[in-house]
Amino acid sequence: MVRKIAEKGYIFLMLGILYAPILMIIIYSFSNTNNFTFPEGFTFEAYVQLFTNAPKKLWDSLLNTIIIAVVSSVLSTLIGAISAVGIYYLKPRARRIVENVNQLPIINSEIVMAVSLMLFFATFGFPQGYVRLIIGHVSFCTPYVILSVMPRLMQMDPNIYEAALDLGASPIKALFKVIIPTILPGVISGFAMAFTISLDDFIITQLNKGASTGIDTLSTYLYSSLRNASGLKPFWLPVFSIIILLVVFIVLFSNLHSYKKGGKKEGK
Amino acid sequence: MKLKDLPKKAVDKVKNFRLTRRVFSYPYILFLLLFVVTPLVIVLVNAFIYDGTLSFQNFVDLATDGSSLKVLGTSIVVGIVTTVICLLLGYPVAYILAKWKSGSVLVVLFILPMWVNFLIRTYALQTIFENMAMTLGMGTVIFGMVYNFIPFMIMPLHTTISNIDKSFKEAAQDLGASPVQTFFKSTLPLSLPGIISGITMVFIPTISAFAISQLLSNNSIILFGDSINLKFENKLYGVGSVMSLIMLALVLLSNFFINKINKGEAAKNLW
């Protein structure tokens, strides 16, 4: 009995520590300060400031973040889905090699990826700006798409594809009627993953955005504001709160969804 | 005869080229070679270029530079302390959650903060430390690292522990082992793959972390990842490349260990 209470207490204590800083941000987003105090009492002023008086740079960087995330996640999903099918049908040895190289961007430290891309772009004189950023984002997002499509292909019954061919479907038709519907859930979750990873990225963007282009994403703009001696403007706290609420909503929703689906499968 | 055969073979090869399914992988293989492998090769080449000539001078520079060695030492200390704290705090969490029916749902709550950008979380910690009038330094950096990376410890541990067959524990108890003995003789050894994954998934990101230690120590503590960035900012491409290679070697080495212990199941544990 004592043990059970201790266990519960420990879990809730850890959760408490984990969530306290995040909750603080949400609470103090209503204080119109950046230092977690309430000098003016409870106020919506920071939110008002955010939507009426925030620097244009904030909205520009938000737009950049979204553009880069959309373009690179769509590209990675297309490349990833198509090549996952190709990789699956490679000869075992070639497949193993490609799968291992595909792992590299996932296991490698981001800082090493970032500097290697920076050197590469500089060596070959790639145009600065979006091109570099999107290539960089695609290179670390695509491996995740492939990893989420691959298990689907492995679960697929190869006889169905053969049966489609026997019944007179052309290989292209069989691809569209058999393989694509099978991998679709993996493609969708791969897309979601690529999109979030691209949104969340800081290091690779920071090192490859190029100082002269003036392109900033939300995270690199935040970083330069954090390093600014005057500290963050109060409007940042509402920005953080909105991001946090979106994350909580999306993660809980997607997990609840997969949990329900998993439960159904087990029930069978 | 032979001369005629050769072109025919080549023609056959071209004729036999069909749009097989494996062809779909070729563009991506090209992409990987171009944008993942080539950049790393360029880092490798840069590590051996000093003043436009091929030499080991960059390695010598790094090995004899006191401040770089200090960075390396600090990184290893911060990395080890962070990893040990994450293991000591995270193991009980994973162990308790594996026992609970609601554990698989609750573990999501431990992983969720990871999806909030680390700059936001680090800013929150920094502000809390400042409000508590704590001096920013080694202690706050380690707290920040533990806070950021403990989900990476809990995740693989929870997966491993909840997959341990319950009959091992029951057998140990039937054979008269006390709960403490059961834990140390059965559960702990069986969760070793999770421990190894957790250790590398915390240690590597900690020493290569960028910006966290700067923000949580007022720029007084610089770790390996920040140092790589600083070297490139100061145009010291050679030394920076050597440091990147060291980091890459560490990553590959630890990944090799994980794969060896998990026998190819490492990828499953990642997400």
Side-chain angles (χ1 to χ4, degrees), chain A residues 61-138:
Chain A
S61 61
L62 176 65
L63 190 65
N64 278 332
T65 312
I66 292 171
I67 291 174
I68 292 169
V70 169
V71 174
S72 47
S73 59
V74 168
L75 282 177
S76 334
T77 308
L78 284 176
I79 299 173
I82 292 169
S83 32
V85 176
I87 292 167
Y88 183 70
Y89 289 106
L90 281 175
K91 287 181 183 125
R93 211 180 126 78
R95 180 178 160 191
R96 214 173 46 239
I97 294 171
V98 175
E99 281 184 340
N100 272 318
V101 178
N102 184 53
Q103 287 268 359
L104 258 181
I106 299 175
I107 57 168
N108 204 350
S109 355
E110 265 189 278
I111 184 80
V112 177
M113 285 269 293
V115 295
S116 71
L117 278 169
M118 185 172 81
L119 275 181
F120 171 79
F121 289 143
T123 310
F124 292 105
F126 274 67
Q128 289 207 340
Y130 290 109
V131 175
R132 292 187 183 199
L133 290 178
I134 286 170
I135 291 175
H137 280 232
V138 171

Side-chain angles (χ1 to χ4, degrees), chain B:
Chain B
M1 189 69 179
K2 263 186 186 169
L3 258 167
K4 261 191 174 175
D5 252 10
L6 216 69
K8 194 169 174 266
K9 251 187 182 168
V11 170
D12 272 356
K13 201 143 202 185
V14 175
K15 265 191 186 163
N16 282 341
F17 180 86
R18 288 178 301 131
L19 193 69
T20 46
R21 281 168 288 181
R22 81 173 59 119
V23 177
F24 290 133
S25 68
Y26 294 170
Y28 184 56
I29 292 175
L30 201 69
F31 183 92
L32 279 178
L33 283 175
L34 201 58
F35 297 117
V36 175
V37 178
T38 315
L40 292 175
V41 172
I42 291 178
V43 170
L44 184 69
V45 172
N46 263 277
F48 290 97
I49 289 182
Y50 184 84
D51 254 358
T53 54
L54 226 64
S55 82
F56 283 98
Q57 193 58 40
N58 294 320
F59 291 84
V60 177
D61 277 4
L62 184 69
T64 51
D65 175 18
S67 67
S68 291
L69 292 180
K70 202 183 143 216
V71 166
L72 189 62
T74 320
S75 306
I76 291 173
V77 171
V78 171
I80 290 176
V81 175
T82 303
T83 312
V84 169
I85 296 176
C86 281
L87 183 61
L88 292 180
L89 291 177
Y91 198 97
V93 172
Y95 183 80
I96 295 168
L97 289 183
K99 280 202 295 193
W100 289 1
K101 259 196 184 144
S102 55
S104 58
V105 180
L106 275 171
V107 79
V108 173
L109 289 181
F110 279 92
I111 293 162
L112 193 148
M114 235 170 57
W115 293 99
V116 176
N117 191 289
F118 78 98
L119 286 172
I120 300 179
R121 283 177 288 148
T122 307
Y123 157 76
L125 281 183
Q126 191 191 9
T127 314
I128 291 174
F129 291 145
E130 276 166 0
N131 268 13
M132 290 164 78
M134 286 165 74
T135 36
L136 297 181
M138 188 62 103
T140 49
V141 169
I142 289 174
F143 190 100
M145 293 293 180
V146 172
Y147 180 75
N148 258 291
F149 297 123
I150 201 167
F152 288 126
M153 181 65 87
I154 294 175
M155 239 189 328
L157 279 175
H158 179 258
T159 313
T160 321
I161 298 175
S162 52
N163 281 335
I164 294 176
D165 197 333
K166 294 256 181 318
S167 36
F168 284 110
K169 201 173 165 183
E170 289 161 9
Q173 278 162 351
D174 286 348
L175 293 169
S178 69
V180 177
Q181 274 175 321
T182 313
F183 175 76
F184 281 104
K185 295 265 173 188
S186 154
T187 312
L188 191 62
L190 285 170
S191 57
L192 201 63
I195 295 177
I196 304 279
S197 301
I199 286 175
T200 57
M201 283 169 74
V202 171
F203 185 76
I204 299 282
T206 302
I207 62 172
S208 68
F210 178 54
I212 298 176
S213 61
Q214 290 172 37
L215 292 170
L216 290 179
S217 73
N218 258 333
N219 290 322
S220 66
I221 294 176
I222 294 174
L223 299 188
F224 211 67
D226 292 302
S227 182
I228 292 177
N229 177 50
L230 285 175
K231 290 282 185 295
F232 278 91
E233 262 180 20
N234 298 329
K235 309 270 178 227
L236 296 167
Y237 292 150
V239 180
S241 298
V242 174
M243 294 176 82
S244 307
L245 281 187
I246 295 174
M247 200 61 238
L248 181 63
L250 265 177
V251 167
L252 292 179
L253 197 73
S254 61
N255 196 57
F256 174 78
F257 271 117
I258 298 185
N259 279 334
K260 197 128 214 211
I261 287 194
N262 290 5
K263 288 182 194 109
E265 279 192 309
K268 253 193 225 159
N269 289 341
L270 247 168
W271 292 101

Side-chain angles (χ1 to χ4, degrees), chain A residues 16-208:
Chain A
I17 296 172
L18 215 51
Y19 281 88
I22 294 173
L23 282 176
M24 291 287 212
I25 289 181
I26 298 176
I27 293 168
Y28 287 98
S29 70
F30 297 104
S31 80
N32 200 26
T33 64
N34 70 351
N35 58 1
F36 292 4
T37 52
F38 268 118
E40 304 166 24
F42 185 91
T43 163
F44 285 100
E45 186 55 29
Y47 286 85
V48 175
Q49 287 295 321
L50 169 64
F51 290 108
T52 58
N53 210 10
K56 191 175 170 290
K57 184 98 200 173
L58 178 74
W59 302 111
D60 286 348
S61 61
L62 176 65
L63 190 65
N64 278 332
T65 312
I66 292 171
I67 291 174
I68 292 169
V70 169
V71 174
S72 47
S73 59
V74 168
L75 282 177
S76 334
T77 308
L78 284 176
I79 299 173
I82 292 169
S83 32
V85 176
I87 292 167
Y88 183 70
Y89 289 106
L90 281 175
K91 287 181 183 125
R93 211 180 126 78
R95 180 178 160 191
R96 214 173 46 239
I97 294 171
V98 175
E99 281 184 340
N100 272 318
V101 178
N102 184 53
Q103 287 268 359
L104 258 181
I106 299 175
I107 57 168
N108 204 350
S109 355
E110 265 189 278
I111 184 80
V112 177
M113 285 269 293
V115 295
S116 71
L117 278 169
M118 185 172 81
L119 275 181
F120 171 79
F121 289 143
T123 310
F124 292 105
F126 274 67
Q128 289 207 340
Y130 290 109
V131 175
R132 292 187 183 199
L133 290 178
I134 286 170
I135 291 175
H137 280 232
V138 171
S139 76
F140 69 76
C141 288
T142 315
Y144 289 98
V145 178
I146 291 178
L147 279 192
S148 80
V149 173
M150 223 31 133
R152 286 260 142 202
L153 282 166
M154 294 201 276
Q155 284 164 15
M156 184 179 69
D157 184 349
N159 293 327
I160 301 176
Y161 180 79
E162 303 295 334
L165 293 184
D166 287 347
L167 292 170
S170 67
I172 300 290
K173 195 167 183 193
L175 180 75
F176 275 97
K177 290 273 174 188
V178 177
I179 297 182
I180 291 180
T182 323
I183 63 171
L184 201 62
V187 175
I188 292 170
S189 64
F191 171 76
M193 197 162 245
F195 188 73
T196 17
I197 291 171
S198 169
L199 275 185
D200 198 47
D201 176 70
F202 163 65
I203 299 178
I204 288 168
T205 313
Q206 170 74 16
L207 270 75
N208 287 292

